[in-house]
């Protein structure tokens, strides 16, 4: 009992030796941090509750079966925009994954401290912080103008450029935490470095690499600005060659939310709820995969 009293009295005695001005400053900073944390949580919770309320009230079976309606019409749905978003996101991640994984592997296994690796990391950091609208303008100049119109291919490339730096950074970080003893064991068996990477290093870091790909998918799933300059939008199903405007949820939400038509605004809320829940699901899956691997 005496030992417990001594341990509880020790922090009090330590605080007693601190000058009162420092104690007051510490408490004031603690209160400020709590208040701003509560404010941030309140604002985020308010947005989420409003999204759930407006989105759920706008959901109906027709939303997932009908195409987006034209001006001054009733009903309609977001089926074409939902499928278009899935196609654009799939194109973006299919293009970005091999580039990002191979670039991250080079930085972690081959380049390391070389000047080329430092240049790649520098460019990668710029792409991570680059506004997505600039990437949309770049792809517009690179693909939309020469091809003579908007297309799903241009939209997929724009999303891929946004996803690549996320995958590169995650892949490099995951490969760097793989113990060097695993590489040494593979080299001791006479395996070339390429075999060591594909058969040992990638397998050891696969959960983290998959997590990075899922996070990149969640990152590009809700991008609007680059699609405004590349895939744009329409109220119909996409063409087989993906030429012309391709309906997608982010641009549909942007356009419908600003419209004066009630049914358009309702569809915008429904689309926002669907895309938010999709991104939330991807983030949860990524965290579960990473947590399961790190707990082994």
């Amino acid at each position: 009992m005496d030992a417990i009293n001594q341990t509880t009295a020790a922090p009090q005695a330590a605080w007693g030796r601190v000058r009162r001005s420092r104690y007051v400053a510490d408490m004031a900073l603690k209160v400020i941090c709590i208040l701003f944390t509560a404010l941030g949580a309140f604002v985020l919770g308010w947005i989420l509750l409003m999204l759930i309320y407006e989105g759920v009230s706008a959901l109906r079976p027709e939303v997932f079966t009908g195409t987006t309606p034209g001006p001054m019409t009733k009903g309609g749905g977001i089926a074409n925009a939902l499928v278009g978003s899935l196609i654009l996101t799939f194109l973006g991640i299919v293009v970005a994954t091999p580039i990002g994984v191979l670039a991250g592997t080079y930085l972690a296994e081959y380049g390391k401290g070389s000047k080329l690796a430092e240049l790649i990391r520098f460019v990668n950091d710029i792409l991570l912080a680059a506004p997505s609208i600039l990437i949309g303008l770049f792809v517009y100049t690179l693909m939309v103008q020469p091809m003579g119109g908007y297309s799903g291919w241009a939209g997929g490339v724009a999303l891929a450029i946004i996803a690549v730096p996320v995958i590169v950074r995650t892949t490099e970080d995951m490969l760097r935490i793989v113990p060097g003893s695993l590489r040494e064991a593979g080299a001791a068996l006479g395996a070339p470095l390429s075999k060591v990477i594909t058969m040992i290093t990638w397998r050891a870091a696969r959960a983290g690499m998959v997590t990075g790909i899922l996070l990149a998918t969640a990152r590009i799933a809700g991008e609007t600005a680059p699609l405004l300059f590349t895939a744009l939008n329409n109220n119909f199903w996409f063409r087989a060659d993906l030429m012309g405007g391709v309906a997608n949820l982010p641009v549909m939400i942007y356009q419908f939310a600003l419209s004066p038509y009630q049914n358009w605004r309702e569809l915008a809320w429904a689309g926002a709820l669907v895309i938010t829940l999709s991104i939330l699901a991807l983030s949860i899956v990524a965290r579960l995969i990473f947590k399961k691997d790190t707990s082994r």
Side-chain angles (χ1 to χ4, degrees), residues 16 42 58 82 108 129 132 143-144 151 175 179 185 187 189 194 197 213 221 223 226 239 255 271 276:
F42 173 75
L82 183 60
S132 58
M143 294 185 65
V144 175
S151 69
L175 291 177
L189 294 174
S194 59
I197 292 173
I213 295 171
E223 283 291 341
R239 290 168 50 181
Q255 293 177 343
T276 301

Side-chain angles (χ1 to χ4, degrees), residues 173-185:
D173 291 343
M174 292 301 103
L175 291 177
R176 282 183 175 274
I177 65 176
V178 174
S181 57
L182 293 178
R183 299 179 179 88
E184 295 171 359

Side-chain angles (χ1 to χ4, degrees), residues 107-180:
L107 294 177
E109 303 292 340
Y110 291 97
K112 296 184 179 179
S114 65
K115 291 185 178 180
L116 177 59
E118 292 179 359
L119 177 62
I120 294 174
R121 291 190 187 96
F122 177 72
V123 174
N124 193 70
D125 291 339
I126 292 176
L127 286 176
L128 276 173
S132 58
I133 193 170
L134 294 182
I135 295 175
L137 286 170
F138 169 74
V139 178
Y140 177 84
T141 304
L142 184 69
M143 294 185 65
V144 175
Q145 286 185 332
M147 295 173 69
Y150 300 101
S151 69
W153 304 111
V157 170
L159 295 181
I161 295 175
I162 298 174
V164 162
V166 179
I167 300 175
V168 171
R169 173 65 62 83
T170 308
T171 300
E172 182 185 6
D173 291 343
M174 292 301 103
L175 291 177
R176 282 183 175 274
I177 65 176
V178 174

Side-chain angles (χ1 to χ4, degrees), residues 255-272:
Q255 293 177 343
F256 280 21
L258 299 178
S259 72
Y261 310 116
Q262 179 65 25
N263 65 321
W264 278 25
R265 292 196 298 269
E266 290 178 355
L267 291 175
W269 281 112

